[in-house]
Amino acid sequence: MTGTITGPAQRGPAHLPEPARKVARRVRKASKRFGAHTGLAMLRLRNLLVRSSATGTADVVVSMTTYGERIRTVAVALESIARGEIRPRRIILWLDDPRLMDTEPAALRRLRRRGVEVRLSSNYGPHTKYFPYVSAPELEGYPLVTADDDIIYPANWLRVLYEANLAHPDMIHGHWVSTIGVNNGSITHYEAWGRRRDTRPAFNNFALGVSGVIYPPAMLRELRHRGTLFMDVCPGADDIWLHWVALRAGIPIRQVDRIPRHFPMIPGSQFTPLNELNVDQHRNDHWIRGLYSTADIDVLAAGQEKKTTTANLWDGENDAH
């Protein structure tokens, strides 16, 4: 039996009047745009001038994928990681189109000379950012950090994730976490989920990969065990699949700070029309409805934190999906 989707639960009154909220939103957006354009210029200059290694000694691997026109701007995202306060042992960029290798931009070639790995993969859609790594025979025992190809990450981005993993190695940690809404035994619409405003680990926390997420080795082994089932149940929604696998594995999710973070997007990296993004919102609800069982929803509603209490809740449920 699978779950259903309902509308959002009733919320309390907002703290600010609507005009003030609109002004605050405009100011935040303008500040982000300015920061993004400034960051873009600095990172492109850094890519031209710096010759030091993009990788380092932190026991973690960073994995990313890109496609199509974004090959022109992905070096900016990679360079933002390479200038971090700490640097990972490996940075891997997965491509699913051999033609992109033939038209590799100069900025990406410079990063490859500094240690960034560019590797070919089958096309797993958004799941390409992690699945080729977790399915590789040489899978290492390091945590895996996933990153998006259209974001400028701050210098402390990886350090914060890495330190969170060191402190709580049995959890998944992210910079931006939502809370899955459950109302009357059903999951509320994806777009109505609230943002997490604390660092409490829970199974109803939902990590958004756009801001970066670190996964412990236990999660990587679980993903390898599940294989490519995601291509049948939610091919276009890696965050949903990753949450569901973590839920079934009893691995809680935690936000690294009380404030959810969405970092600046790379100017010129967005080529997806708004109507396609809106369609994806409806598809998320469709995939959630088909994936989460009644037992899953019971765990989400309970907001349980200890994985030792979850195993018996799925007895009798179909775990294959």
Side-chain angles (χ1 to χ4, degrees), residues 39-146:
L40 174 65
M42 293 180 63
L43 289 167
R44 282 181 168 165
L45 180 62
R46 187 180 194 278
N47 180 266
L48 287 169
L49 299 178
V50 172
R51 296 294 180 265
S52 60
S53 176
T55 57
T57 59
D59 291 334
V60 64
V61 176
V62 173
S63 184
M64 180 188 295
T65 188
T66 195
Y67 65 96
E69 289 296 315
R70 286 191 180 181
I71 193 71
R72 296 189 293 123
T73 56
V74 68
V76 177
L78 293 166
E79 193 69 59
S80 72
I81 296 170
R83 59 87 189 263
E85 294 174 0
I86 67 170
R87 298 190 305 278
R89 289 197 177 273
R90 299 175 69 186
I91 301 176
I92 308 173
L93 175 67
W94 299 95
L95 304 178
D96 58 33
D97 186 349
R99 292 172 297 181
L100 295 180
M101 300 285 284
D102 299 331
T103 58
E104 183 181 40
L108 189 53
R109 283 199 302 273
R110 287 190 284 269
L111 280 164
R112 279 207 298 122
R113 289 196 291 267
R114 293 164 52 201
V116 172
E117 303 171 45
V118 180
R119 304 179 64 172
L120 285 173
S121 164
S122 298
N123 184 359
Y124 300 109
H127 301 268
T128 309
K129 77 168 71 168
Y130 72 89
F131 187 73
Y133 179 77
V134 302
S135 62
E138 70 272 17
L139 177 64
E140 298 158 313
Y142 301 133
L144 181 69
V145 176
T146 58

Side-chain angles (χ1 to χ4, degrees), residues 7-304:
Q10 294 296 317
R11 297 181 178 180
H15 294 292
L16 294 174
E18 182 60 26
R21 291 202 302 273
K22 287 182 177 179
V23 170
R25 283 196 295 269
R26 284 197 294 268
V27 170
R28 286 197 301 270
K29 288 181 178 179
S31 177
K32 279 191 174 184
R33 283 195 299 270
F34 176 78
H37 283 280
T38 302
L40 174 65
M42 293 180 63
L43 289 167
R44 282 181 168 165
L45 180 62
R46 187 180 194 278
N47 180 266
L48 287 169
L49 299 178
V50 172
R51 296 294 180 265
S52 60
S53 176
T55 57
T57 59
D59 291 334
V60 64
V61 176
V62 173
S63 184
M64 180 188 295
T65 188
T66 195
Y67 65 96
E69 289 296 315
R70 286 191 180 181
I71 193 71
R72 296 189 293 123
T73 56
V74 68
V76 177
L78 293 166
E79 193 69 59
S80 72
I81 296 170
R83 59 87 189 263
E85 294 174 0
I86 67 170
R87 298 190 305 278
R89 289 197 177 273
R90 299 175 69 186
I91 301 176
I92 308 173
L93 175 67
W94 299 95
L95 304 178
D96 58 33
D97 186 349
R99 292 172 297 181
L100 295 180
M101 300 285 284
D102 299 331
T103 58
E104 183 181 40
L108 189 53
R109 283 199 302 273
R110 287 190 284 269
L111 280 164
R112 279 207 298 122
R113 289 196 291 267
R114 293 164 52 201
V116 172
E117 303 171 45
V118 180
R119 304 179 64 172
L120 285 173
S121 164
S122 298
N123 184 359
Y124 300 109
H127 301 268
T128 309
K129 77 168 71 168
Y130 72 89
F131 187 73
Y133 179 77
V134 302
S135 62
E138 70 272 17
L139 177 64
E140 298 158 313
Y142 301 133
L144 181 69
V145 176
T146 58
D148 273 16
D149 62 345
D150 57 350
I151 299 294
I152 297 175
Y153 293 102
N156 70 345
W157 170 77
L158 183 61
R159 177 183 59 77
V160 172
L161 290 171
Y162 183 63
E163 290 177 352
N165 174 264
L166 291 177
H168 306 283
D170 58 340
M171 299 179 187
I172 293 168
H173 305 270
H175 281 284
W176 185 8
V177 173
S178 297
T179 302
I180 297 177
V182 177
N183 187 25
N184 295 324
S186 300
I187 297 176
T188 60
H189 287 291
Y190 176 85
E191 60 186 10
W193 296 352
R195 295 182 180 181
R196 173 57 74 184
R197 297 293 179 179
D198 57 43
T199 61
R200 182 176 66 88
F203 292 121
N204 63 337
N205 284 345
F206 185 92
L208 287 95
V210 64
S211 293
V213 182
I214 187 166
Y215 298 96
M219 177 66 174
L220 306 186
R221 292 191 293 270
E222 188 67 23
L223 288 167
R224 173 185 275 185
H225 170 70
R226 297 278 178 178
T228 59
L229 185 59
F230 56 80
M231 296 299 289
D232 296 324
V233 294
C234 53
D238 56 317
D239 288 347
I240 292 172
W241 172 254
L242 289 163
H243 176 271
W244 182 83
V245 170
L247 179 66
R248 285 296 177 99
I251 301 174
I253 296 168
R254 176 182 172 272
Q255 188 165 272
V256 296
D257 194 6
R258 292 185 302 105
I259 301 173
R261 308 285 184 186
H262 188 296
F263 304 115
M265 305 188 84
I266 299 172
S269 65
Q270 301 305 301
F271 301 96
T272 303
L274 181 61
N275 63 327
E276 289 187 22
L277 295 175
N278 291 336
V279 168
D280 285 342
Q281 296 293 319
H282 297 299
R283 287 176 179 167
N284 284 340
D285 288 334
H286 169 74
W287 288 322
I288 289 166
R289 187 181 300 112
L291 187 59
Y292 289 80
S293 70
T294 300
D296 295 331
I297 296 172
D298 289 342
V299 176
L300 298 176
Q304 298 182 56

